[in-house]
Amino acid sequence: MPSICKTLICSVFGLAAALGGGARAATVAGVEVPPPLAAQMQTDTHWGVAVEDPYRHLEAVSDPRVSQWLRAQADATSAILAKVPARNTMLERIKAIEGAAGGVTGQVVRSESGRLFFLRRNPGENQFKLLWRDGPNGADHLVFDPEAAAASDGQPRAVMDFSASRDGRKLAYSVQTGGSEIGNLHVIDVGSGRALLPPIDRIRYAEVNWLHDGSGFFFSRLRENFDKLPPEQRFGDRTSHFRALGEAGTERPVMSASHNPALKLPVYASPHIMQVPGARMAAAIVRMGVEPNLMLLVADLAAAKTGNAQWRKVVDLIDQVTNVTVGDGWFYLKSAKGAPRYQVLRIPVARPDMARAELVVPTGDGAIGAIRHARDGLYFTRREGVNTALYRVPRGSVSGPVGIALPFTGSVQIKTTSPWRDGAVLSVVAWTRAIKDYVYDPLKRNVELLALAKDGAHDAPDDIEAKEVMFKSQDGVMVPLSIVARKGTRLDGSSPTILYGYGAYGLTDDPFFNPRVYAWIEQGGIWATAHVRGGGVFGKDWHEAGRKTTKPNTWKDTIAAGEWLVANGWTKSERMAVYGGSAGGILVGRAITERPDLFAAAVPAVGVMDAVRMETSANGVANVPEFGTVKNEDEFKALLAMSSVHQVRDGTRYPAVLAVHGVNDIRVDVWHSAKFASRMATASSSGKPVLLRLEYDSGHGQGSTRLQAQERAADIWSFLLWQFGVPAYQPR
């Protein structure tokens, strides 16, 4: 995921040699790194522009020649990193810190009876287990242990999502294998653990919604033979189904682009169906890939269950609604229309019409985040700088939102609410404090710790601190920067520094505490997060300022952040790396191709590195709303500008690169990293290493085991400290 620079022994191949098939292997720390496969130039012409692609053949990752080359690259990188003397010491320290840290929970669900369902990984456990307990202090009951399941074949497993019936007596959960994010849905009776249905396959996040009486549920499923379709069609036409319990063969398609042609949905539309609380009505929340705005449709519940509903559109994309929650006879809508930092509206369930919309929470200085409705009222978060605060609008209130005091300042997440229960289950985390779960009780008006996981010795270390600053970007816009470092860090430019950024989809880089990052800071390292444009720290406008044709602001903000860190004595270029993952690969790749002198190293993790070809992949079409399409001239030009592979220039002194990827990734195909590494290796004149770190039992990162995450961090931190010239990390 991160990256770095400063080499040992490394020879680089020129593009001409690669084109002629004569590229030579590089030698790094005495290990031979196979050269890129000989280029096979292909040229695509878009809008009169010829786009060269010498490594198109790497997209065929199942081709024996390509797969063997990938394996050889992975093996060479493993051998090189094994020669970094302090790498194992770093790994053992990470394990020790995590072993003494507290447990961590994931998704939490609370039924009407108060029964809690949750994912938890306690110290010493390698993967999140699915458990339930009756009430906050009840005994834990195990539902599914991925480690035990993996023991049969060695394949890592993980729970993707789960949903409990209203009464908490039935549970549906989906399980993936090897980080693939595709698996089976299991439905059980909670008390006995008995399976109520055979496993349902073709699941990529089931998004189960139970009927109120628990007699059946809506869920999402990939279409038949999806894996045999061309990549760009593989995840299209995702269908919402209904499945009744106690009846054979009652699974019915409810909504999809092909099942409901009258709705004119794009093939990448993803419908999410639920029964509206207190009504015999079904609601469909339809998302268009990564487009932030959604549609809301309603229909008769009985007709929806049979797949014959006449859906009526209530909210369209032009209404700029990004979230919907329902309760107390109202649909609550988070909308950016006329309110770039969002407002909350509501419309009556009995007569759902945007013309009847009422204002519940007006827009303000801070962007509204999550909205969730409980029996006692509406809960929502609002951004205060990079931190978030929690508010509640009591049921029937005419006085507006009321702030809820939290245990400490940081990032608050509303984990679960219920239209049949008062209160909310929350989590709170800060840059220097580990995440903890809490319950807000509106009768007591307080937030109480919910002890779902064990406490740890490193939950709030007293030797680190966080600072929030603003820096000026290239166009004068002020951008937030969060810096986490050891107390008393001297601003003499000597600190090893990771500059992290993402900048896409309007997502925010909320404060977090991770024991593996703490291990980096222990080494005197600095972790700096740039809240660049394309993210959502200041709402819709901040997102729009780093999307499609405005995407250059994302990496230019990153460059400005790096310049600020150097100018203010936090670090220097020789000791600074830029790191980002997934869509953040664009940020990393373009930061080093535009300013290769500013960074010693770069780590693009599961990164989008060939933006021009992104929409040809299985997950690419759904990302067109964020990045654009080559079918539009302006968007094609933007894609070419943000495509790191196409911005690499021969003979340039580039930083060292460690490209990290899971081979089973279905969100960003591994060929992105393979193409970028190949192009960098042929073009760079710095002599610094370009390495591919590949995991063959992992994907985009979801579902990774603790050990996988620990080894990944140890390799990245060690690579960076090697490139920064730290003596203990120089390979033998």
Side-chain angles (χ1 to χ4, degrees):
M1 305 201 159
S3 93
I4 199 159
C5 178
K6 189 115 189 143
T7 126
L8 197 72
I9 308 171
C10 185
S11 59
V12 182
F13 355 93
L15 180 58
L19 292 173
R24 294 170 297 157
T27 300
V28 181
V31 176
E32 186 176 282
V33 181
L37 292 177
Q40 299 174 20
M41 185 64 74
Q42 294 194 44
T43 303
D44 297 322
T45 301
H46 301 288
W47 304 100
V49 178
V51 181
E52 294 185 342
D53 189 351
Y55 297 108
R56 176 76 56 81
H57 54 293
L58 295 181
E59 296 179 13
V61 294
S62 60
D63 180 280
R65 188 163 177 258
V66 175
S67 62
Q68 290 169 14
W69 178 80
L70 288 171
R71 179 67 75 172
Q73 291 289 325
D75 290 346
T77 297
S78 295
I80 292 165
L81 294 175
K83 291 198 168 197
V84 176
R87 186 266 180 191
N88 287 341
T89 302
M90 172 67 79
L91 177 59
E92 291 308 311
R93 182 55 185 155
I94 289 172
K95 289 180 178 179
I97 293 173
E98 280 209 280
V104 181
T105 61
Q107 181 185 356
V108 178
V109 169
R110 185 167 59 165
S111 72
E112 183 177 16
S113 66
R115 180 170 284 179
L116 290 162
F117 299 85
F118 54 98
L119 292 170
R120 183 185 67 201
R121 186 176 65 191
N122 267 330
E125 295 175 343
N126 199 32
Q127 188 55 287
F128 285 87
K129 294 176 170 62
L130 178 58
L131 304 106
W132 66 271
R133 65 168 65 165
D134 281 322
N137 302 312
D140 288 342
H141 301 269
L142 179 66
V143 176
F144 180 73
D145 181 354
E147 291 185 72
S152 62
D153 55 13
Q155 286 289 308
R157 286 173 172 79
V159 176
M160 290 187 282
D161 60 355
F162 62 89
S163 176
S165 60
R166 174 179 173 176
D167 60 10
R169 295 180 179 180
K170 302 179 184 72
L171 182 70
Y173 64 95
S174 57
V175 177
Q176 63 162 321
T177 301
S180 65
E181 297 184 46
I182 297 175
N184 295 330
L185 177 66
H186 304 265
V187 183
I188 65 167
D189 173 80
V190 173
S192 65
R194 176 176 57 88
L196 299 177
L197 293 172
I200 301 172
D201 63 1
R202 308 198 315 270
I203 298 297
R204 187 189 180 198
Y205 296 94
E207 298 180 320
V208 167
N209 273 308
W210 289 87
L211 296 181
H212 299 165
D213 62 6
S215 63
F217 55 89
F218 296 98
F219 71 103
S220 294
R221 193 180 190 189
L222 298 173
R223 53 185 162 176
E224 288 188 55
N225 299 316
F226 75 94
D227 53 336
K228 297 179 174 60
L229 295 170
E232 65 273 16
Q233 299 177 23
R234 200 158 291 163
F235 299 143
D237 204 29
R238 185 173 179 177
T239 304
S240 182
H241 296 259
F242 176 75
R243 183 65 160 88
L245 298 180
E247 302 176 32
T250 56
E251 181 181 318
R252 304 182 184 96
V254 174
M255 181 183 287
S256 71
S258 63
H259 185 72
N260 304 85
L263 296 176
K264 297 181 180 179
L265 299 174
V267 70
Y268 52 82
S270 181
H272 183 58
I273 315 293
M274 70 182 77
Q275 180 179 359
V276 176
R280 300 300 296 175
M281 175 190 290
I285 297 173
V286 185
R287 294 197 174 273
M288 311 299 173
V290 298
E291 161 67 44
N293 301 322
L294 54 78
M295 294 196 311
L296 172 65
L297 303 95
V298 297
D300 175 72
L301 178 62
K305 288 161 56 178
T306 64
N308 298 310
Q310 297 298 310
W311 293 96
R312 182 169 73 83
K313 191 180 297 182
V314 176
V315 173
D316 209 341
L317 299 181
I318 60 172
D319 296 310
Q320 298 183 37
V321 171
T322 60
N323 291 97
V324 176
T325 186
V326 59
D328 193 25
W330 298 90
F331 288 110
Y332 290 84
L333 316 171
K334 174 186 166 185
S335 172
K337 192 169 186 178
R341 297 192 180 181
Y342 305 107
Q343 60 187 352
V344 180
L345 310 172
R346 70 178 187 178
I347 56 177
V349 166
R351 292 175 292 174
D353 189 330
M354 285 300 291
R356 300 179 181 274
E358 302 175 3
L359 180 65
V360 179
V361 182
T363 191
D365 293 336
I368 294 173
I371 63 170
R372 300 287 291 269
H373 200 280
R375 185 174 61 182
D376 61 293
L378 177 74
Y379 292 80
F380 69 94
T381 61
R382 192 191 291 274
R383 193 157 296 283
E384 297 179 350
V386 300
N387 294 307
T388 52
L390 179 66
Y391 292 86
R392 172 175 171 261
V393 181
R395 181 176 179 176
S397 171
V398 293
S399 59
V402 178
I404 296 174
L406 297 173
F408 54 89
T409 299
S411 174
V412 58
Q413 178 187 358
I414 306 171
K415 280 197 166 182
T416 185
T417 59
S418 168
W420 301 290
R421 280 192 67 90
D422 294 345
V425 176
L426 317 166
S427 66
V428 187
V429 65
W431 293 115
T432 61
R433 297 190 64 165
I435 190 168
K436 297 291 181 183
D437 295 316
Y438 299 87
V439 174
Y440 175 72
D441 186 331
L443 294 179
K444 297 179 181 178
R445 296 186 180 181
N446 69 346
V447 175
E448 297 180 354
L449 184 66
L450 179 60
L452 296 179
K454 294 179 180 179
D455 291 334
H458 298 296
D459 288 350
D462 59 7
D463 60 341
I464 63 174
E465 61 183 350
K467 295 181 181 293
E468 304 291 350
V469 302
M470 300 287 286
F471 66 90
K472 184 180 291 186
S473 194
Q474 41 83 30
D475 57 356
V477 171
M478 300 302 292
V479 181
L481 180 69
S482 302
I483 303 171
V484 186
R486 297 188 77 166
K487 290 180 179 178
T489 295
R490 292 187 300 173
L491 302 185
D492 59 2
S494 65
S495 297
T497 298
I498 294 174
L499 174 58
Y500 173 84
Y502 187 71
Y505 309 117
L507 299 178
T508 55
D509 291 307
D510 294 329
F512 72 94
F513 177 80
N514 187 310
R516 296 184 291 278
V517 174
Y518 182 49
W520 168 260
I521 295 172
E522 268 196 335
Q523 298 290 317
I526 290 170
W527 182 278
T529 300
H531 303 276
V532 299
R533 281 171 283 185
V537 70
F538 294 132
K540 177 191 172 187
D541 288 351
W542 200 251
H543 175 209
E544 294 291 341
R547 181 186 185 209
K548 291 186 177 180
T549 57
T550 59
K551 191 63 181 171
N553 286 327
T554 298
W555 64 82
K556 291 182 184 296
D557 287 352
T558 306
I559 290 169
E563 292 173 335
W564 187 93
L565 287 166
V566 171
N568 286 272
W570 288 95
T571 190
K572 54 187 174 182
S573 294
E574 301 94 304
R575 297 177 78 82
M576 181 167 60
V578 60
Y579 166 30
S582 193
I586 296 172
L587 173 152
V588 173
R590 290 299 284 115
I592 65 170
T593 50
E594 188 158 308
R595 283 295 306 276
D597 60 307
L598 186 59
F599 304 99
V603 183
V606 294
V608 176
M609 314 309 292
D610 186 346
V612 174
R613 292 282 294 167
M614 179 66 181
E615 65 186 291
T616 67
S617 63
N619 200 44
V621 176
N623 278 274
V624 166
E626 178 70 18
F627 303 117
T629 174
V630 297
K631 298 172 184 176
N632 175 291
E633 184 174 7
D634 289 342
E635 292 179 4
F636 156 68
K637 292 177 180 177
L639 286 165
L640 186 60
M642 72 178 80
S643 186
S644 302
V645 166
H646 296 97
Q647 301 302 324
V648 177
R649 298 292 175 255
D650 296 332
T652 302
R653 296 181 59 83
Y654 286 113
V657 172
L658 180 66
V660 178
H661 222 118
V663 175
N664 299 329
D665 194 343
I666 63 170
R667 299 195 187 198
V668 180
D669 291 11
V670 69
W671 53 255
H672 280 269
S673 289
K675 292 173 81 169
F676 183 67
S678 295
R679 185 69 185 98
M680 286 292 292
T682 60
S684 180
S685 62
S686 68
K688 295 179 178 181
V690 177
L691 302 178
L692 269 172
R693 185 192 184 279
L694 304 178
E695 295 179 14
Y696 280 81
D697 51 4
S698 177
H700 201 64
Q702 287 75 8
S704 290
T705 67
R706 184 195 296 271
L707 182 57
Q708 285 176 318
Q710 290 172 340
E711 291 183 335
R712 195 179 301 141
D715 283 348
I716 293 169
W717 301 169
S718 299
F719 177 74
L720 294 175
L721 294 170
W722 162 24
Q723 296 305 312
F724 294 158
V726 176
Y729 290 87
Q730 301 310 298
R732 299 183 184 90

